[in-house]
Amino acid sequence: MEPREVVAADQIDLSDIGFWERPLDEREGAFQLLRRERPLAFFQEPPVLPELALFVPEGPGYRAVTRHAHIVEVSRHPEIYQSGKGATSIPDMPEELLEYFGSMVNTDNPRHAQLRRIVSAAFSPRMIKSIEDRIEFVANEVIDRIATQGRCDFVVDVAARLPLEIICGMMGIGPADYGTVLRASNVITVSGNAIAGAGDPEYLPADADPLVALLEASQQLTTLMSDLAETRRSDPTDDVTSALVHSNIDGESLSPAEVASFFILLVIAGNDTTRNAISNGLLAFAEHPEQRALWQADPAGIAPTGVDEIVRWGSPIIWMRRTVAEPTVLGGEELAPGDKLLLFYNSANRDEDAFENPYAFDVRRAPNPHLGFGAAGPHFCLGAHLARQEIDVLFRQLFARLPDIAVTGEPDRLRSTFINGIKHMDCAFTPTAASG
Ligand code: HEM
């Protein structure tokens, strides 16, 4: 795939869902043009649905940060470019929602460091090790469920299952609640776009009020987690929820409400992202059979570089927002307090100043300074290690057990300006026995 520059810079509108429905080579052409000519281009915000205007104020617009070097610089200065002012979504978050989404991704220091310390302690080496064993187990089970069928919807049956079951297991949520978590997670993922009238009708019906749907889905997850947190407080096990309610970092632990808010963050940050990395990975293999052959011939040798190439290639989170806290200069342009910046990680991941042959999918790419997990700074992805492990294990097991798995249909893409998502993707393979 090579980028095609088919429109002038003036005609590009990253706030228009129509832009995101253009063919990929045209979108890549637009980002190439922006990086070269307008690396901090200004865009109006997508219009909020009229019925929500009372809750979600009309915003002043944002600048699209499209160069790798600029995103690295912004992420190194969290005191100037903040995450807690109004949140990391395009519109400022209404008060009603901050209760649910006041987790660390939307906070700054000192609160952010405090929350991250507590949560990181829960991801102890022992915990990570036990999760690693579980990834092997769940991946095997997920493949078992489809192995004899000869075909599947790869996203629904495989890519969505592994991260969902890992995160739920980590927190101590049982299989009876997986369906609730999955549905709520889908609603939350698209509702940000739906508030701007550009949701995905499969996950959120067009006649549904996105704010109500978002509140309901968040409330469902909050109830589930607060109940569990209460139980673990009196009766701890070895799960992350128990660790969070009993952690004692500088005399602090998380309240059940804070555990619930962290869980919602995990569901948003860790679930759909990993699902989409895996789905985009299989699609990349279908489009680049020679890269797939390299991986299949030597999974242990290729995975250490290949997994990060899958994340660079798919860039599951397209952007995150920062808000300027004090007068500053970026790329020679003056910025004022309150200015919104969208860090386009997808664009940074194709920046020709940071990558050789950025449009080549190369599973042996090294170095690979991609920003798929964010850039170095306080908000760098907490689950990067876990996500890498899930992608590695899944493809190792998949290629060992269903070596001829092939994509047989066009991927059905998520309608979103924020998540590079695939909702369905038909696959076929030679049926094989379940592992027993
Ligand atoms: C391929 C999969 C993943 C991708 C592409 C991804 C991407 C990201 C990105 C871009 C950020 C930075 C947010 C910012 O700039 O403000 C982030 C933060 C975060 N991620 Fe991930 N993520 C993935 C998997 C996971 C997993 C599996 C977990 C769960 C354990 C997770 C948990 C988090 C958390 C908690 C944060 C917030 C960190 C903070 O604000 O301090 N992520 N992720």
Side-chain angles (χ1 to χ4, degrees), residues 105 112 116 265-266 269-270 273 320 322 345 372-374 378-379 381 383:
V105 76
H112 176 265
R116 183 131 178 163
L265 173 62
L266 281 193
T273 47
M320 293 297 279
R322 298 293 186 270
Y345 294 130
F373 291 120
H379 293 281
C381 180

Side-chain angles (χ1 to χ4, degrees), residues 74-393:
V74 165
S75 305
R76 273 204 198 115
H77 294 285
E79 69 293 352
I80 303 177
Y81 303 100
Q82 299 193 335
S83 296
K85 286 206 171 1
T88 41
S89 49
I90 298 181
D92 288 353
M93 194 80 81
E95 279 296 316
E96 294 84 341
L97 288 183
L98 279 177
E99 180 189 336
Y100 301 116
F101 297 99
S103 63
M104 62 186 173
V105 76
N106 289 327
T107 56
D108 297 301
N109 280 339
R111 184 68 182 141
H112 176 265
Q114 214 172 21
L115 285 172
R116 183 131 178 163
R117 236 184 357 251
I118 296 173
V119 165
S120 306
F123 284 80
S124 62
R126 199 174 119 252
M127 177 66 71
I128 297 283
K129 180 77 190 93
S130 74
I131 295 172
E132 286 176 2
D133 294 343
R134 203 176 134 74
I135 295 172
E136 295 281 354
F137 176 81
V138 175
N140 188 54
E141 227 182 37
V142 164
I143 297 172
D144 266 355
R145 287 179 215 147
I146 55 155
T148 57
Q149 296 171 10
R151 57 193 320 113
C152 69
D153 177 340
F154 185 74
V155 180
V156 173
D157 298 330
V158 180
R161 297 313 302 185
L162 180 65
L164 173 76
E165 296 185 21
I166 293 300
I167 287 181
C168 287
M170 221 166 86
M171 301 302 286
I173 292 172
D177 290 315
Y178 290 173
T180 307
V181 175
L182 183 66
R183 275 189 302 277
S185 149
N186 284 342
V187 169
I188 292 174
T189 302
V190 298
S191 52
N193 273 147
I195 285 169
D200 189 291
E202 180 177 340
Y203 293 161
L204 191 63
D207 57 354
D209 178 328
L211 199 53
V212 172
L214 181 58
L215 283 169
E216 274 173 8
S218 311
Q219 186 55 50
Q220 259 179 335
L221 295 183
T222 300
T223 307
L224 188 69
M225 266 326 284
S226 331
D227 290 352
L228 187 64
E230 282 298 350
T231 312
R232 294 296 192 263
R233 215 206 269 272
S234 52
D235 196 4
T237 66
D238 58 359
D239 60 22
V240 171
T241 304
S242 303
L244 290 176
V245 292
H246 288 281
S247 64
N248 192 340
I249 308 288
D250 303 336
E252 278 207 83
S253 59
L254 294 190
S255 70
E258 285 169 331
V259 174
S261 164
F262 174 63
F263 176 59
I264 292 180
L265 173 62
L266 281 193
V267 163
I268 306 172
N271 209 14
D272 301 347
T273 47
T274 313
R275 167 203 322 192
N276 289 316
I278 291 170
S279 303
N280 275 302
L282 191 70
L283 189 60
F285 286 136
E287 290 165 351
H288 303 87
E290 76 297 347
Q291 298 296 313
R292 171 179 173 151
L294 286 172
W295 192 304
Q296 269 182 286
D298 182 16
I302 294 293
T305 50
V307 165
D308 277 279
E309 181 66 347
I310 285 181
V311 177
R312 181 188 81 92
W313 191 250
S315 298
I317 293 190
I318 297 174
W319 51 262
M320 293 297 279
R321 171 183 146 196
R322 298 293 186 270
T323 309
V324 175
E326 57 188 67
T328 190
V329 176
L330 179 67
E333 300 220 27
E334 290 187 4
L335 300 175
D339 283 357
K340 296 181 184 182
L341 305 183
L342 258 53
L343 313 182
F344 278 89
Y345 294 130
N346 66 322
S347 173
N349 285 344
R350 296 290 182 277
D351 190 333
E352 31 294 284
D353 289 338
F355 300 97
E356 233 173 85
N357 291 329
Y359 299 100
F361 176 64
D362 174 4
V363 294
R364 290 179 296 191
R365 184 181 290 280
N368 188 349
H370 75 85
L371 305 186
F373 291 120
H379 293 281
F380 182 81
C381 180
L382 179 75
H385 175 73
L386 181 59
R388 288 188 176 112
Q389 194 79 16
E390 288 183 44
I391 298 167
D392 176 359
V393 169

